[in-house]
PDB file of all heavy atoms in Angstrom:
ATOM      1  N   ALA A 445     -16.730 -15.642  -3.926  1.00  0.00           N
ATOM      2  CA  ALA A 445     -16.990 -16.555  -2.815  1.00  0.00           C
ATOM      3  C   ALA A 445     -17.780 -15.883  -1.695  1.00  0.00           C
ATOM      4  O   ALA A 445     -18.160 -16.542  -0.736  1.00  0.00           O
ATOM      5  CB  ALA A 445     -15.665 -17.089  -2.274  1.00  0.00           C
ATOM      6  N   ARG A 446     -18.035 -14.584  -1.814  1.00  0.00           N
ATOM      7  CA  ARG A 446     -18.719 -13.841  -0.759  1.00  0.00           C
ATOM      8  C   ARG A 446     -20.225 -13.801  -1.005  1.00  0.00           C
ATOM      9  O   ARG A 446     -20.675 -13.801  -2.153  1.00  0.00           O
ATOM     10  CB  ARG A 446     -18.216 -12.397  -0.700  1.00  0.00           C
ATOM     11  CG  ARG A 446     -16.771 -12.218  -0.377  1.00  0.00           C
ATOM     12  CD  ARG A 446     -16.427 -10.739  -0.261  1.00  0.00           C
ATOM     13  NE  ARG A 446     -17.129 -10.104   0.848  1.00  0.00           N
ATOM     14  CZ  ARG A 446     -17.091  -8.791   1.104  1.00  0.00           C
ATOM     15  NH1 ARG A 446     -16.372  -7.992   0.319  1.00  0.00           N
ATOM     16  NH2 ARG A 446     -17.740  -8.283   2.114  1.00  0.00           N
ATOM     17  N   PRO A 447     -21.024 -13.738   0.048  1.00  0.00           N
ATOM     18  CA  PRO A 447     -22.453 -13.460  -0.141  1.00  0.00           C
ATOM     19  C   PRO A 447     -22.617 -12.058  -0.704  1.00  0.00           C
ATOM     20  O   PRO A 447     -21.910 -11.126  -0.288  1.00  0.00           O
ATOM     21  CB  PRO A 447     -23.030 -13.587   1.270  1.00  0.00           C
ATOM     22  CG  PRO A 447     -21.871 -13.374   2.189  1.00  0.00           C
ATOM     23  CD  PRO A 447     -20.670 -13.924   1.471  1.00  0.00           C
ATOM     24  N   TYR A 448     -23.551 -11.892  -1.616  1.00  0.00           N
ATOM     25  CA  TYR A 448     -23.686 -10.609  -2.311  1.00  0.00           C
ATOM     26  C   TYR A 448     -24.043  -9.481  -1.345  1.00  0.00           C
ATOM     27  O   TYR A 448     -23.488  -8.388  -1.425  1.00  0.00           O
ATOM     28  CB  TYR A 448     -24.738 -10.724  -3.402  1.00  0.00           C
ATOM     29  CG  TYR A 448     -24.958  -9.444  -4.180  1.00  0.00           C
ATOM     30  CD1 TYR A 448     -23.994  -8.977  -5.069  1.00  0.00           C
ATOM     31  CD2 TYR A 448     -26.124  -8.692  -4.004  1.00  0.00           C
ATOM     32  CE1 TYR A 448     -24.181  -7.802  -5.782  1.00  0.00           C
ATOM     33  CE2 TYR A 448     -26.325  -7.516  -4.712  1.00  0.00           C
ATOM     34  CZ  TYR A 448     -25.345  -7.066  -5.592  1.00  0.00           C
ATOM     35  OH  TYR A 448     -25.539  -5.905  -6.298  1.00  0.00           O
ATOM     36  N   TYR A 449     -24.958  -9.735  -0.427  1.00  0.00           N
ATOM     37  CA  TYR A 449     -25.386  -8.679   0.481  1.00  0.00           C
ATOM     38  C   TYR A 449     -25.856  -9.301   1.786  1.00  0.00           C
ATOM     39  O   TYR A 449     -26.706 -10.188   1.790  1.00  0.00           O
ATOM     40  CB  TYR A 449     -26.512  -7.851  -0.148  1.00  0.00           C
ATOM     41  CG  TYR A 449     -27.088  -6.791   0.759  1.00  0.00           C
ATOM     42  CD1 TYR A 449     -26.313  -5.717   1.176  1.00  0.00           C
ATOM     43  CD2 TYR A 449     -28.406  -6.880   1.205  1.00  0.00           C
ATOM     44  CE1 TYR A 449     -26.833  -4.739   2.014  1.00  0.00           C
ATOM     45  CE2 TYR A 449     -28.941  -5.903   2.039  1.00  0.00           C
ATOM     46  CZ  TYR A 449     -28.151  -4.841   2.437  1.00  0.00           C
ATOM     47  OH  TYR A 449     -28.665  -3.873   3.265  1.00  0.00           O
ATOM     48  N   ASP A 450     -25.302  -8.839   2.892  1.00  0.00           N
ATOM     49  CA  ASP A 450     -25.661  -9.316   4.222  1.00  0.00           C
ATOM     50  C   ASP A 450     -26.515  -8.236   4.876  1.00  0.00           C
ATOM     51  O   ASP A 450     -26.013  -7.276   5.461  1.00  0.00           O
ATOM     52  CB  ASP A 450     -24.395  -9.586   5.038  1.00  0.00           C
ATOM     53  CG  ASP A 450     -24.678 -10.245   6.382  1.00  0.00           C
ATOM     54  OD1 ASP A 450     -25.801 -10.082   6.894  1.00  0.00           O
ATOM     55  OD2 ASP A 450     -23.769 -10.904   6.920  1.00  0.00           O
ATOM     56  N   ALA A 451     -27.834  -8.386   4.779  1.00  0.00           N
ATOM     57  CA  ALA A 451     -28.753  -7.359   5.258  1.00  0.00           C
ATOM     58  C   ALA A 451     -28.622  -7.142   6.765  1.00  0.00           C
ATOM     59  O   ALA A 451     -28.682  -6.003   7.248  1.00  0.00           O
ATOM     60  CB  ALA A 451     -30.188  -7.734   4.895  1.00  0.00           C
ATOM     61  N   GLU A 452     -28.443  -8.220   7.504  1.00  0.00           N
ATOM     62  CA  GLU A 452     -28.352  -8.097   8.958  1.00  0.00           C
ATOM     63  C   GLU A 452     -27.103  -7.320   9.369  1.00  0.00           C
ATOM     64  O   GLU A 452     -27.161  -6.430  10.229  1.00  0.00           O
ATOM     65  CB  GLU A 452     -28.337  -9.490   9.590  1.00  0.00           C
ATOM     66  CG  GLU A 452     -28.328  -9.478  11.106  1.00  0.00           C
ATOM     67  CD  GLU A 452     -28.397 -10.880  11.696  1.00  0.00           C
ATOM     68  OE1 GLU A 452     -28.686 -11.834  10.934  1.00  0.00           O
ATOM     69  OE2 GLU A 452     -28.159 -11.018  12.909  1.00  0.00           O
ATOM     70  N   ALA A 453     -25.963  -7.635   8.752  1.00  0.00           N
ATOM     71  CA  ALA A 453     -24.729  -6.922   9.067  1.00  0.00           C
ATOM     72  C   ALA A 453     -24.823  -5.462   8.648  1.00  0.00           C
ATOM     73  O   ALA A 453     -24.332  -4.564   9.345  1.00  0.00           O
ATOM     74  CB  ALA A 453     -23.548  -7.598   8.385  1.00  0.00           C
ATOM     75  N   ASP A 454     -25.458  -5.206   7.510  1.00  0.00           N
ATOM     76  CA  ASP A 454     -25.598  -3.836   7.032  1.00  0.00           C
ATOM     77  C   ASP A 454     -26.481  -3.019   7.969  1.00  0.00           C
ATOM     78  O   ASP A 454     -26.199  -1.850   8.256  1.00  0.00           O
ATOM     79  CB  ASP A 454     -26.167  -3.837   5.619  1.00  0.00           C
ATOM     80  CG  ASP A 454     -26.095  -2.472   4.963  1.00  0.00           C
ATOM     81  OD1 ASP A 454     -25.213  -1.681   5.337  1.00  0.00           O
ATOM     82  OD2 ASP A 454     -26.924  -2.196   4.073  1.00  0.00           O
ATOM     83  N   GLN A 455     -27.559  -3.623   8.447  1.00  0.00           N
ATOM     84  CA  GLN A 455     -28.448  -2.908   9.358  1.00  0.00           C
ATOM     85  C   GLN A 455     -27.719  -2.533  10.646  1.00  0.00           C
ATOM     86  O   GLN A 455     -27.867  -1.420  11.165  1.00  0.00           O
ATOM     87  CB  GLN A 455     -29.665  -3.783   9.686  1.00  0.00           C
ATOM     88  CG  GLN A 455     -30.729  -3.081  10.517  1.00  0.00           C
ATOM     89  CD  GLN A 455     -31.339  -1.893   9.793  1.00  0.00           C
ATOM     90  OE1 GLN A 455     -31.505  -1.901   8.578  1.00  0.00           O
ATOM     91  NE2 GLN A 455     -31.670  -0.838  10.545  1.00  0.00           N
ATOM     92  N   ALA A 456     -26.929  -3.446  11.171  1.00  0.00           N
ATOM     93  CA  ALA A 456     -26.162  -3.152  12.378  1.00  0.00           C
ATOM     94  C   ALA A 456     -25.153  -2.035  12.126  1.00  0.00           C
ATOM     95  O   ALA A 456     -24.948  -1.154  12.974  1.00  0.00           O
ATOM     96  CB  ALA A 456     -25.453  -4.413  12.856  1.00  0.00           C
ATOM     97  N   ALA A 457     -24.518  -2.061  10.951  1.00  0.00           N
ATOM     98  CA  ALA A 457     -23.550  -1.022  10.603  1.00  0.00           C
ATOM     99  C   ALA A 457     -24.229   0.337  10.483  1.00  0.00           C
ATOM    100  O   ALA A 457     -23.675   1.361  10.905  1.00  0.00           O
ATOM    101  CB  ALA A 457     -22.839  -1.383   9.299  1.00  0.00           C
ATOM    102  N   GLN A 458     -25.422   0.357   9.905  1.00  0.00           N
ATOM    103  CA  GLN A 458     -26.167   1.616   9.788  1.00  0.00           C
ATOM    104  C   GLN A 458     -26.487   2.208  11.155  1.00  0.00           C
ATOM    105  O   GLN A 458     -26.320   3.411  11.389  1.00  0.00           O
ATOM    106  CB  GLN A 458     -27.468   1.385   9.025  1.00  0.00           C
ATOM    107  CG  GLN A 458     -27.308   1.108   7.545  1.00  0.00           C
ATOM    108  CD  GLN A 458     -28.652   0.930   6.862  1.00  0.00           C
ATOM    109  OE1 GLN A 458     -29.611   1.625   7.152  1.00  0.00           O
ATOM    110  NE2 GLN A 458     -28.726  -0.032   5.953  1.00  0.00           N
ATOM    111  N   GLN A 459     -26.967   1.384  12.044  1.00  0.00           N
ATOM    112  CA  GLN A 459     -27.342   1.875  13.365  1.00  0.00           C
ATOM    113  C   GLN A 459     -26.148   2.477  14.087  1.00  0.00           C
ATOM    114  O   GLN A 459     -26.260   3.518  14.744  1.00  0.00           O
ATOM    115  CB  GLN A 459     -27.955   0.739  14.179  1.00  0.00           C
ATOM    116  CG  GLN A 459     -29.303   0.267  13.655  1.00  0.00           C
ATOM    117  CD  GLN A 459     -29.847  -0.920  14.429  1.00  0.00           C
ATOM    118  OE1 GLN A 459     -29.197  -1.447  15.340  1.00  0.00           O
ATOM    119  NE2 GLN A 459     -31.047  -1.357  14.079  1.00  0.00           N
TER     120      GLN A 459
END
Side-chain angles (χ1 to χ4, degrees):
R446 298 184 64 186
Y448 180 71
Y449 176 65
D450 187 335
E452 184 177 348
D454 191 26
Q455 186 63 35
Q458 289 182 40
Q459 292 176 357

